[in-house]
Amino acid sequence: MRTPPRTGQGPTGWGSFEALPTGRTLVMGILNVTPDSFSDGGLHAGHDAAIDRGLQMMAEGADIVDVGGESTRPGSERLEPAEEQRRILPVVEALATAGAVLSVDTYHPATAEAALDAGAHIVNDVSGLSVSPEMIDLVARRQAPYVLMHARGTPATMDALADYDDVAGEVLAELEGLRGRLVGAGLAPERIVLDPGLGFAKRGAQNWELLRALPRFTATGHRVLVAASRKRFLGTLLEEDGTPRPAGQRDAATAAVSALAAQGGAWAVRVHDVRAGADAVAAAHAWCGVEPAVLRPGQARTGAPTGAVPR
Ligand code: PMM
């Protein structure tokens, strides 16, 4: 039996990558620290709002909080590492102190390293095939858990690069090539999390094909992250009169994907609506007979801190 560490008054977190439960699918909450969060009150108020949101996510059942300073939506602008760090480091530091397990959503090695120094646990790199040699050296040197996401090109160019004969086979083969480089540099294979990169150089139906191929990804023996939350392919699925469903109205479909990902053995689902994601995963696991006792650190919803019993 393992008990998540207590951190005073606030919600509890697992505190380290190693302490994360292994018997169920984890919930990774998305915490964007982008200028929208600074719209009123400036950077400091933006940091405070982001920290509060991160704590709220932990209370709602996030096992991991994914902190990012740059939007990676198709067509978005790239951000300088210094500005990225200015946005995210105070947030990483505060949430790490609160016991959160944190991933940092960046493709800049300098930002990844600064975030690890500030208490982050996992590097979540959406650069895919353009992964830099410095990033490989960094995660190998630090033995940092690393989310290896499949992508082609950059957010500006990726939509034009979505030509595949066999999307699952090609994505897997490209990920395996990169995995070889990471392991060759000395990163322990169990620290590599595979992510098919839904929406990154993938067109609508290709995303569903990749989700259907989840068993092929888990069969590699790596942890697999499914990050479908509010993505464009869900908007397209739910379109009415040719108009895609707006991002804020895609959470029910996201929850359905999260439940099926949990049933399919995903290591984690990356979601905006943490409460809905945690509920979906809990229902899927209950259906499949997974112990409810492993549900979440601190069992925040009942307010009663309990130990977790990973299987
Ligand atoms: N997608 C986005 C951002 N970060 N990280 C991983 N590992 N996988 C993803 O698919 C992913 C990501 C873009 O989506 P958002 O703007 O809704 O966060």
Side-chain angles (χ1 to χ4, degrees):
M1 178 174 290
R2 278 188 292 172
T3 308
R6 301 292 297 157
T7 54
Q9 297 300 307
T12 55
W14 296 105
S16 72
F17 180 76
E18 289 71 22
L20 288 167
T22 54
R24 63 162 170 85
T25 297
L26 304 175
V27 176
M28 176 189 278
I30 302 169
L31 185 59
N32 288 321
V33 194
T34 50
D36 318 346
S37 6
F38 307 149
S39 55
D40 46 8
L43 191 57
H44 183 69
H47 286 149
D48 286 349
I51 293 162
D52 286 348
R53 177 70 193 122
L55 294 172
Q56 185 192 358
M57 283 183 184
M58 291 165 71
E60 289 176 353
D63 299 290
I64 302 166
V65 177
D66 186 42
V67 184
E70 177 184 316
S71 170
T72 43
R73 287 182 181 282
S76 57
E77 299 275 313
R78 303 230 122 174
L79 188 70
E80 288 303 317
E83 171 60 16
E84 184 181 40
Q85 290 167 38
R86 220 165 57 88
R87 289 183 188 176
I88 68 167
L89 292 182
V91 178
V92 168
E93 217 166 305
L95 293 177
T97 304
V101 176
L102 297 161
S103 55
V104 56
D105 191 339
T106 186
Y107 52 85
H108 292 298
T111 299
E113 177 139 49
L116 291 173
D117 290 342
H121 305 85
I122 302 167
V123 176
N124 176 25
D125 179 4
V126 300
S127 73
L129 287 182
S130 62
V131 66
S132 65
E134 292 81 15
M135 186 67 100
I136 294 178
D137 290 346
L138 166 70
V139 293
R141 176 162 47 81
R142 299 289 292 257
Q143 288 298 306
Y146 179 75
V147 179
L148 172 58
M149 195 200 79
H150 179 270
R152 287 178 175 176
T154 65
T157 62
M158 62 190 178
D159 282 353
L161 300 171
D163 289 324
Y164 305 87
D165 291 324
D166 161 20
V167 66
E170 288 171 53
V171 164
L172 263 172
E174 289 171 24
L175 284 177
E176 271 161 16
L178 280 169
R179 172 205 183 274
R181 286 172 62 192
L182 288 160
V183 173
L187 182 63
E190 64 271 18
R191 305 222 139 210
I192 300 172
V193 178
L194 297 185
D195 179 343
L198 300 170
F200 287 81
K202 319 290 179 324
R203 299 198 184 99
Q206 293 165 340
N207 295 289
W208 294 111
E209 216 174 307
L210 284 166
L211 287 168
R212 222 171 288 130
L214 180 59
R216 293 174 66 183
F217 285 83
T218 57
T220 61
H222 286 282
R223 295 174 167 92
V224 177
L225 175 66
V226 171
S229 190
R230 296 184 185 171
K231 286 205 169 152
R232 194 167 46 170
F233 72 100
L234 298 178
T236 308
L237 172 78
L238 303 172
E239 75 182 12
E240 282 160 291
D241 303 327
T243 307
R245 181 78 63 82
Q249 296 171 32
R250 300 173 189 167
D251 284 331
T254 300
V257 172
S258 294
L260 289 164
Q263 189 190 34
W267 167 70
V269 290
R270 179 180 180 276
V271 293
H272 297 86
D273 185 339
V274 168
R275 170 69 51 100
D279 288 354
V281 166
H285 282 327
W287 181 308
C288 299
V290 174
E291 271 292 314
V294 301
L295 280 182
R296 59 202 59 187
Q299 292 290 316
R301 253 199 262 192
T302 61
T306 54
V309 193
R311 298 197 311 171

